[in-house]
Amino acid sequence: MTEDPRIAAVRRGYRRRRSSDGSVRDETSAPDDDGQQAVTAAQYSDLRAAMVETELQLAIRRGEFDNLPGAGKPLTGLGRPHDEDWWIRRKIETEKLSGLGPPALTLRVESAELEDRLDALFGEAEVREELEDFNRRVIEARRQLQGGPPVITPTRDVEVEVAAWRERAAKRREAAQAAEEEPPTTERPARWRLWRRR
């Protein structure tokens, strides 16, 4: 394979000479001992840009950018309107962060998961405290005038929720007791039965 003409031009045409202290010399400096003129700062930046472009083209030809993750896949969010906070939304989605965002959205998610959280509690006092805290945060979110979507999450009736929690807890206890009372199977494996017949 022959050398790219751009690379050859860069190698032939530009040569950077440094002074003894390492700084780039200007165009008015005298020629070196071998008769070549020093490179100016503008020429050096052009040289550097040409070298970077050349290295990129060579890497593409070698195939170093083939089979990268996401290659050939469509770009996400092309049809959506421009959102200045797109990177925050993507971080929340990929990291599955919770508790972030406007109160209207976080309270909706919390309301959907409230029964599971209540079922993880052990006492009726803890359940009441959790429900009162949830209702207090819903009311505070309704009072704030910070913009964003409206808070449509309803408050929960504490007595109704505590009664439902008691019923679910009783069903869990009955299921646990039924699993403990189930008699173990006394039948021996088939190979024991064959051994006894002989």
Side-chain angles (χ1 to χ4, degrees):
M1 183 171 147
T2 61
E3 188 176 23
D4 188 0
R6 289 178 287 185
I7 296 173
V10 168
R11 285 188 182 154
R12 277 192 318 265
Y14 292 106
R15 231 168 144 192
R16 189 173 122 217
R17 300 284 182 208
R18 291 188 177 267
S19 61
S20 60
D21 63 346
S23 62
V24 177
R25 287 185 245 159
D26 63 356
E27 204 169 54
T28 60
S29 61
D32 287 341
D33 296 335
D34 57 352
Q36 294 185 351
Q37 189 77 18
V39 177
T40 65
Q43 288 174 332
Y44 178 68
S45 66
D46 291 343
L47 168 67
R48 189 174 180 118
M51 289 297 287
V52 168
E53 180 64 29
T54 303
E55 288 298 320
L56 281 172
Q57 292 299 325
L58 288 174
I60 289 170
R61 289 180 186 169
R62 285 191 303 263
E64 293 181 11
F65 296 117
D66 296 344
N67 302 324
L68 290 175
K73 295 179 183 173
L75 296 175
T76 57
L78 284 181
R80 296 185 200 151
H82 176 67
D83 182 16
E84 295 175 357
D85 298 328
W86 63 269
W87 60 276
I88 296 173
R89 293 182 195 279
R90 184 177 295 165
K91 186 72 172 174
I92 290 171
E93 290 170 3
T94 56
E95 299 290 329
K96 296 182 180 163
L97 300 174
S98 61
L100 301 174
L105 301 179
T106 56
L107 287 171
R108 283 185 211 168
V109 172
E110 192 174 337
S111 177
E113 299 170 351
L114 187 61
E115 286 184 8
D116 294 334
R117 279 203 348 252
L118 293 178
D119 289 345
L121 300 176
F122 295 108
E124 190 174 314
E126 291 176 349
V127 173
R128 287 181 185 279
E129 184 179 323
E130 182 71 25
L131 288 167
E132 288 169 0
D133 179 56
F134 175 75
N135 288 340
R136 180 187 52 77
R137 286 186 286 121
V138 168
I139 292 169
E140 283 178 15
R142 287 181 186 164
R143 290 180 183 161
Q144 293 177 355
L145 300 173
Q146 295 178 350
V151 178
I152 59 171
T153 306
T155 56
R156 300 287 183 106
D157 186 359
V158 176
E159 296 304 322
V160 171
E161 292 295 328
V162 168
W165 174 80
R166 277 193 217 121
E167 290 176 16
R168 291 191 304 268
K171 288 180 183 177
R172 283 194 306 273
R173 280 193 299 271
E174 289 172 5
Q177 287 176 355
E180 287 178 4
E181 293 174 359
E182 187 175 300
T185 58
T186 57
E187 187 175 323
R188 292 184 179 179
R191 72 176 179 193
W192 284 97
R193 282 185 270 148
L194 288 175
W195 182 78
R196 294 290 284 169
R197 287 184 189 162
R198 293 185 185 173

